[in-house]
Amino acid sequence: MSSNVDPLVVGRVIGEVVDLFVPTTEMDVNFGAKHVNNGCDIKPSMAADPPSIHIGGRPSHLFTLVMTDPDAPSPSEPSLRECLHWLVVNIPGDTDPTQGEEVMPYMRPKPPLGIHRYVLVLFQQKVRVPAASIELSPETVETRAHFNTRDFADRHDLGMPVAAVYFNSQKEPMNRRRH
């Protein structure tokens, strides 16, 4: 399974968002009929609704899903890195995020400038984490900016990721948006 990490290195997800890890859990991500592979292009209009995600593992396992944009507001000047797009805790294994507790609701990609990476990182929890106990900085709560996946994982004793995938997205011309 370690070959799955290589595109994360090339895409600078490993290094900028998470440290090198070995994937141990399957995570299948789809926007409609479009399967998300590392580095694929997803139009913002295709990602208006949360992706359907199937998480492997045993039903007795619990997972945390984090989705961020490490390129906000612009890939050349990511001064708001990381913008938090979605945070769900207590997702049972062999299910999907709708079975967990949403801490931060899904926010569709809205890349204002350039090609942005949107990263979905999965952590296996050691224990159930009450959603109400998750503390985010006031700025992250208000603007979703300056979230840090590594710091979040450290604060909540999540350890290394067990899966991750990223896709690219860029602003669509007005006349080409899907309805």
Side-chain angles (χ1 to χ4, degrees):
M1 245 197 226
S2 62
S3 64
N4 291 343
V5 172
D6 296 344
L8 297 173
V9 172
V10 172
R12 300 179 333 275
V13 169
I14 290 178
E16 292 182 9
V17 180
V18 295
D19 294 322
L20 185 63
F21 71 97
V22 176
T24 57
T25 302
E26 293 295 323
M27 180 171 67
D28 189 45
V29 180
N30 295 281
F31 283 102
K34 174 81 171 173
H35 179 72
V36 176
N37 293 309
N38 284 314
C40 73
D41 293 320
I42 301 286
K43 293 177 180 163
S45 58
M46 287 180 65
D49 296 319
S52 62
I53 300 176
H54 183 268
I55 295 167
R58 296 186 178 127
S60 60
H61 293 163
L62 293 174
F63 295 90
T64 293
L65 177 71
V66 175
M67 179 178 165
T68 67
D69 172 1
D71 299 319
S74 145
S76 60
E77 291 287 332
S79 60
L80 301 177
R81 175 180 293 163
E82 298 165 55
C83 181
L84 181 61
H85 278 258
W86 201 16
L87 177 57
V88 185
V89 298
N90 301 323
I91 306 166
D94 199 30
T95 64
D96 62 75
T98 64
Q99 304 304 305
E101 297 174 58
E102 200 170 59
V103 175
M104 183 66 77
Y106 177 81
M107 180 175 77
R108 65 181 283 164
K110 298 180 198 172
L113 187 64
I115 299 171
H116 288 237
R117 295 166 295 161
Y118 292 87
V119 182
L120 293 109
V121 182
L122 187 69
F123 295 93
Q124 185 171 342
Q125 298 170 206
K126 294 177 177 117
V127 296
R128 176 171 284 281
V129 179
S133 74
I134 301 291
E135 291 185 23
L136 300 173
S137 74
E139 183 178 19
T140 298
V141 170
E142 190 175 318
T143 68
R144 296 181 180 243
H146 299 292
F147 181 81
N148 186 298
T149 300
R150 278 188 193 95
D151 290 350
F152 177 81
D154 286 346
R155 271 195 326 275
H156 297 284
D157 195 25
L158 295 173
M160 296 301 283
V162 295
V165 67
Y166 81 99
F167 62 91
N168 295 315
S169 194
Q170 61 185 317
K171 189 174 187 173
E172 295 175 76
M174 290 299 279
N175 61 349
R176 294 205 178 151
R177 289 193 180 147
R178 233 179 98 194
H179 296 287

